[in-house]
Amino acid sequence: MFCQDHSQLCCSDCVLLNHRQCTNLALISKSVEKLSVDMQQLSSKILAILAEVTKLTKTQEASIQSIEGSYIEKVQEIRELREKLNAALDKLEITTLKELDEIRTILLTSLKKDVDNCGRLKDELQQLGEAVQGLHDKNKKEMEFIASIKCQDKIQESESYLKENPVKVKSFIIFKANISIEQYLSQQTSLGRIIDSMVSLSLAMNPDQVLNVKRKTQYNVNISEDKGRICKIMGICSLPGGPVIVADGKNNRVKMLNQHYDVSSHCDVSGSPWDICQITSSEVAVTVDKAVQFISVINQKLKIGSKVQLPHAALGIAFHQGALYVTSGIAIYHYTLTGSLVKKLYEEASGYNTVWKCAVSPATDRIYVTNKDKNKLITLATDGTLISTFTDSELLGPQGLHVTPAGQVIVCGFSCHAVIQVDREGRKKLATLKSAKDCFWYPASVCYNMNTHQIIVGLDSDNKIIVMDLQ
């Protein structure tokens, strides 16, 4: 049976229990005569929904891995913070105990000096007293005179000393605790805030919201181990809640920057690193020659990991939901993390740098590619289908690009010294973030720092990075 009132298939029990009041009950053989079914359309809908379910499954599985990885990292950060607090309290204790020892030494030295002086005066007075007793009734005027003079001098000395050092109450040491420390700690509910990044991002998922720069600051990323004072920051990656990793192509080196953008760790790679991307909350991948080098952050230090060799040059790199995207200069490829080729997505063989750097949208429905030779930004579907191309006077020799967690597209115009924001479709310029008029030269890489709401720009031939605070 088929109930048209509820659009449900029914057995005899269902009819009896749930559809006795329905007026449009009919045998399936009769219903078929009235209702036509387009099986091809039905199959297409099932396939489309199945694709969406598969996409959601992959997204959630990737999020599970990210949460587990970030959980382990945050546990370590919390414990390190506790160690820092313990170290700070230990330092305060050492300083306070040192001050206590100094006060004790000063007091004891003064009191022992008084005791010694009193002992000396006591002995001398006793000796003089005994001498005076010995001269009593002996009629030795000259000796009595001498003794009286000495006695008067000693009495005067003793009285002066007692006057200068009157008898005091018992001395002791007082400790007045800094209660503000204890009060402050007792008022705190935790060592810090735990933020759900998915919630914070969902509140601001507007890929075409224009980024507004308040100010820019320069930070030196040159270290003493570098060959010279010039760096070539070809790639930048910001780890969630953690450090910033940069690829220095001039010095064949990957550097980790702390929250103050000081170099806190570095490691050398086998050649000039061209680009970098995040794999997990504590691991990045770097393109070097014809390989992808994995590097981990362990105990606040960079550590070289495994390496995947490729049959072509490795320039740009991006990673999203298990898919590793690598550009060769003329093509972009989809690989697994183990280096297995899934598909060549797109190729433009009319030049040498036509497929330069790449970035993936957080919705995984767009892949953005810079065409350095033709001054273009190319937007692809994830299957490699060309969606759009974009050109602009501030997009000459485009190199690095980045997509923020909200989907905002940022591109470096290398030859025209500009960083611009492009709409999600890759069809128009939304804003110029920095240009040559700001004394801004040869931007080669760009990244959004979600931890600080800043944009970081790496320069081609400079020892500095540019950090732009956003409104």
Side-chain angles (χ1 to χ4, degrees), residues 247-249 251-254 267-274 286-289 293-295 304 307:
D248 185 352
N251 297 288
N252 296 349
R253 185 163 286 154
V254 176
C267 64
D268 293 343
V269 290
S270 58
S272 177
W274 285 100
V286 182
T287 50
V288 183
D289 298 327
Q293 175 70 67
F294 294 95
I295 301 174
I304 294 288
K307 193 175 188 179

Side-chain angles (χ1 to χ4, degrees), residues 145-162:
F145 178 77
I146 294 173
S148 67
I149 296 299
K150 287 188 175 184
C151 286
Q152 290 296 331
D153 290 342
K154 189 56 61 180
I155 290 170
Q156 184 177 359
E157 180 185 351
S158 299
E159 288 177 342
S160 297
Y161 185 80
L162 290 173

Side-chain angles (χ1 to χ4, degrees), residues 132-175:
V132 169
Q133 289 290 334
L135 292 173
H136 188 62
D137 296 333
K138 291 186 177 179
N139 199 22
K140 294 183 178 180
K141 299 297 183 180
E142 292 180 357
M143 293 299 294
E144 288 178 358
F145 178 77
I146 294 173
S148 67
I149 296 299
K150 287 188 175 184
C151 286
Q152 290 296 331
D153 290 342
K154 189 56 61 180
I155 290 170
Q156 184 177 359
E157 180 185 351
S158 299
E159 288 177 342
S160 297
Y161 185 80
L162 290 173
K163 186 176 181 180
E164 293 173 0
N165 301 275
V167 177
K168 302 174 183 177
V169 296
K170 186 184 295 184
S171 298
F172 55 90
I173 299 174
I174 299 173
F175 172 65

Side-chain angles (χ1 to χ4, degrees), residues 326-447:
V326 181
T327 65
S328 66
I330 60 171
I332 180 169
Y333 302 85
H334 174 189
Y335 284 97
T336 66
L337 281 177
T338 57
S340 297
L341 177 64
V342 177
K343 181 183 178 182
K344 179 194 286 187
L345 295 174
Y346 175 83
E347 185 174 25
E348 170 60 84
S350 62
Y352 295 102
N353 302 313
T354 52
V355 184
W356 187 245
K357 296 291 185 70
C358 63
V360 185
S361 69
T364 326
D365 59 351
R366 297 284 189 278
I367 301 174
Y368 303 95
V369 176
T370 49
N371 183 331
K372 186 179 177 184
D373 284 352
K374 303 291 181 65
N375 304 319
K376 295 178 180 179
L377 173 68
I378 302 168
T379 303
L380 307 172
T382 51
D383 62 358
T385 303
L386 178 64
I387 295 176
S388 66
T389 60
F390 171 72
T391 60
D392 190 84
S393 60
E394 291 187 311
L395 198 64
L396 302 180
Q399 289 203 25
L401 73 164
H402 178 78
V403 184
T404 73
Q408 295 145 311
V409 183
I410 312 169
V411 192
C412 293
F414 179 83
S415 300
C416 55
H417 318 294
V419 175
I420 66 173
Q421 180 183 349
V422 179
D423 75 311
R424 176 181 178 274
E425 297 298 325
R427 298 182 186 277
K428 64 179 180 179
K429 179 172 65 177
L430 296 179
T432 300
L433 304 183
K434 283 295 173 183
S435 62
K437 64 182 178 62
D438 301 304
C439 298
F440 192 81
W441 310 117
Y442 301 108
S445 55
V446 63
C447 177

Side-chain angles (χ1 to χ4, degrees), residues 213-245:
V213 178
K214 291 193 298 185
R215 57 182 171 272
K216 70 172 185 176
T217 309
Q218 296 183 353
Y219 294 92
N220 194 328
V221 293
N222 181 258
I223 58 176
S224 59
E225 291 86 349
D226 290 342
K227 301 170 187 176
R229 293 185 58 82
I230 301 300
C231 300
K232 188 183 183 78
I233 306 304
M234 298 301 297
I236 308 174
C237 176
S238 172
L239 298 183
V244 171
I245 316 294

Side-chain angles (χ1 to χ4, degrees), residues 2-167:
F2 180 72
C3 176
Q4 293 186 22
D5 291 345
H6 296 93
S7 297
Q8 289 183 351
L9 295 170
C10 308
C11 65
S12 57
D13 291 338
C14 292
V15 171
L16 181 63
L17 295 173
N18 302 317
H19 299 274
R20 285 183 295 176
Q21 305 298 322
C22 297
T23 58
N24 291 312
L25 278 170
L27 294 172
I28 291 177
S29 58
K30 295 294 183 181
S31 299
V32 170
E33 297 174 359
K34 299 179 180 179
L35 300 174
S36 61
V37 179
D38 187 341
M39 298 304 292
Q40 182 64 39
Q41 183 181 13
L42 189 61
S43 176
S44 297
K45 284 185 178 180
I46 289 175
L47 290 175
I49 294 174
L50 182 60
E52 290 297 320
V53 171
T54 302
K55 179 179 176 181
L56 178 60
T57 301
K58 289 182 178 179
T59 300
Q60 301 307 73
E61 288 175 347
S63 293
I64 289 172
Q65 293 180 357
S66 177
I67 287 172
E68 291 297 337
S70 61
Y71 171 79
I72 294 172
E73 183 179 287
K74 297 316 138 189
V75 167
Q76 181 64 27
E77 287 183 12
I78 290 170
R79 288 175 176 166
E80 289 176 356
L81 176 59
R82 175 60 187 272
E83 290 176 0
K84 289 180 180 178
L85 293 175
N86 288 344
L89 290 173
D90 289 342
K91 185 177 180 180
L92 291 176
E93 180 185 3
I94 291 171
T95 301
T96 307
L97 288 175
K98 181 180 178 182
E99 184 179 352
L100 178 64
D101 289 340
E102 290 175 350
I103 293 295
R104 172 178 174 267
T105 299
I106 292 171
L107 291 175
L108 290 180
T109 299
S110 176
L111 292 172
K112 287 180 179 179
K113 182 178 179 181
D114 285 343
V115 170
D116 291 342
N117 286 333
C118 287
R120 176 181 60 79
L121 290 173
K122 181 180 176 182
D123 291 342
E124 292 176 352
L125 287 171
Q126 286 178 343
Q127 291 176 5
L128 287 173
E130 292 173 357
V132 169
Q133 289 290 334
L135 292 173
H136 188 62
D137 296 333
K138 291 186 177 179
N139 199 22
K140 294 183 178 180
K141 299 297 183 180
E142 292 180 357
M143 293 299 294
E144 288 178 358
F145 178 77
I146 294 173
S148 67
I149 296 299
K150 287 188 175 184
C151 286
Q152 290 296 331
D153 290 342
K154 189 56 61 180
I155 290 170
Q156 184 177 359
E157 180 185 351
S158 299
E159 288 177 342
S160 297
Y161 185 80
L162 290 173
K163 186 176 181 180
E164 293 173 0
N165 301 275
V167 177

Side-chain angles (χ1 to χ4, degrees), residues 246-260:
V246 300
D248 185 352
K250 180 71 173 180
N251 297 288
N252 296 349
R253 185 163 286 154
V254 176
K255 301 173 180 178
M256 181 167 70
L257 313 180
N258 61 20
Q259 61 182 345
H260 304 296

